Amino acid sequence: MDYPSLKNYIEGKFEEIRYTEIEVLSPTDGRVISSVPLSNYDAVDRAVFAAKKAFPSWSSIPIKERAQVFYRYKYLLEKNMEELSQLVQEENGKTFSEAKAEVEKSVEVTEFACSIPQIAAGEILEVSKGVECRIDRHPLGVVASITPFNFPNMVPNWTIPNALILGNAMILKPSEQVPLSANRIAELLKEAGLPDGVFNVVHGAREVVEAICDHPGIEAVSFVGSTRVAKIVYARGTSKLKRVLALGGAKNHLIVLPDANASMTASNVAASMTGCAGQRCMAASAMVAVGPVDHIISHLVEEAKKIIPGKNLGAVISRQAKERIENYITEAERDGAKVLLDGRNCKVDGKENGFYVGPTILDYVRPEMKIAKEEVFGPVLSIMRTENIDDAIKIQNSSMYGNAAAVFTQSGGIAKYIMEKASAGMIGVNIGVPVPREPFSFGGWNESKFGACDITGKSSIEFWTKLKKTTIKWNPESRTNWMS
Ligand code: NAD
């Protein structure tokens, strides 16, 4: 093992208590790199106890002082950028530059969090002579963040800086497939000066997630992962009267018009479908080709051929994921799709045990086919052909998901029409991966997100706080009526 067995991080210490462990594998060559405990309700209970103990003093520190911890944390992310990126690469299997881009996004969200004191001040108004109303933001208390495998550093950081600067104490439950980055984040937060107990990590799988949903000491839960589990967490957490924001899976449509710039469209679509081996909730998964766009499709195939597994294309997360993705391709081919580029049975020299799938492009996929409807989560693009824009919109709108959608065209009018009609939370115009930059918030629609607010940006401030409204009278002569 390259890394020692992982431990839970509670009240500023890595706990010695042992649980059943499972292996952590490197997706690039299948070797065991560490092991992770499958903790239980007791571990969550201890973490809640520690967080509850830390909350009163942390939440009573002025917000500008809490932000100082995160200025230092941002510096530590930058200082340790190479090592943190390496860790992400090892546990997740993405390329080094993709891993680095992920840590850079963590820096950006931390920068945003440091600006929260400037933008989340309360409000005050003199509502009648000598009478004022004010609104102050208060933290919720102990909150939890449950994260997926595809961004081991960035997704935890979508929630940690914002929730903690706003005065909450947190329990993080990272994906058991990529648990290493979480412990390193805990170390850096401590080095940045975060008091013990404000941030805790409990490793594990379903049992820990259920304990988080059920534990009466946890006020709010954010979840990022598949729609299947997002629904479970949303239903279970809200049934226990918690505030829950659960981001789910995706099936993102790119609508391509014949007037689109061919080379820009081809390189954008190829990058979107293959980045992080297609394991991004913002990845292009379906391309809706409107009218005569064969010149763009052939350009796209040439671009995708330049993306080489093991070189500029990382591995998918597991052997099961590789099999699942390849089965989707085989089934689509059997159902009549034309395989323009085939990434099945891909082997990387020297990494024969790695979980690689090459870029795959399928043409003439029909909207009713399984591959057109379900999330594949691999470097696979399904092209569906239509004759007009409204049919393209109809295909996009029929998806149960609604994370992202994009249009490629030189026509402002068509772009505007699709921006308005697409049923998705994040829209791109000539952009393959329309991730909003801070302070704009991240979050989808439909079955890509359950609950109010988005997970980053200004919207997340609403999720992590509650408002106190106070009415104050200083003028003894003011008339007494229902308004004063
Ligand atoms: P997942 O749903 O399998 O796991 C997410 C978390 O839930 C993990 O921490 C896991 O331990 C836990 N979990 C798994 N099964 C559970 C169960 N039955 N009960 C309770 N908890 C359970 O997701 P994943 O495979 O780790 O990540 C990939 C998915 O995440 C994709 O669907 C992707 O689209 C989605 N995702 C969405 C966004 C977004 O912003 N919408 C961002 C990243 C990833």
Side-chain angles (χ1 to χ4, degrees), residues 204-221:
R206 180 177 173 166
E207 200 176 337
V208 175
V209 172
E210 290 178 350
I212 286 171
C213 292
D214 294 348
H215 199 293
I218 296 176
E219 304 297 330
V221 179

Side-chain angles (χ1 to χ4, degrees), residues 310-332:
K311 208 167 141 204
N312 51 356
L313 179 64
V316 297
I317 189 68
S318 62
R319 182 163 290 111
Q320 296 89 313
K322 176 176 159 72
E323 277 169 24
R324 193 197 67 240
I325 296 162
E326 295 191 343
N327 286 342
Y328 269 112
I329 302 167
T330 303
E331 207 174 305

Side-chain angles (χ1 to χ4, degrees), residues 146-151 154-155 158 173-177 204-210 213 223-230 232-233 246-251 279-282 317 324 375 377 401 403 426 442-444 448-449 455:
I146 302 164
T147 55
F149 78 78
N150 61 335
F151 286 95
M154 180 189 79
V155 173
W158 277 356
K173 204 302 278 177
S175 165
E176 66 278 23
Q177 296 184 93
R206 180 177 173 166
E207 200 176 337
V208 175
V209 172
E210 290 178 350
C213 292
F223 170 89
V224 181
S226 63
T227 290
R228 183 182 67 82
V229 183
I232 294 170
V233 169
L247 274 63
K251 183 92 200 167
Q279 300 172 117
R280 286 188 289 194
C281 63
M282 295 296 280
I317 189 68
R324 193 197 67 240
E375 181 176 42
F377 227 50
Y401 298 107
N403 219 36
M426 293 170 280
F442 189 101
S448 290
K449 194 187 78 179
I455 200 151

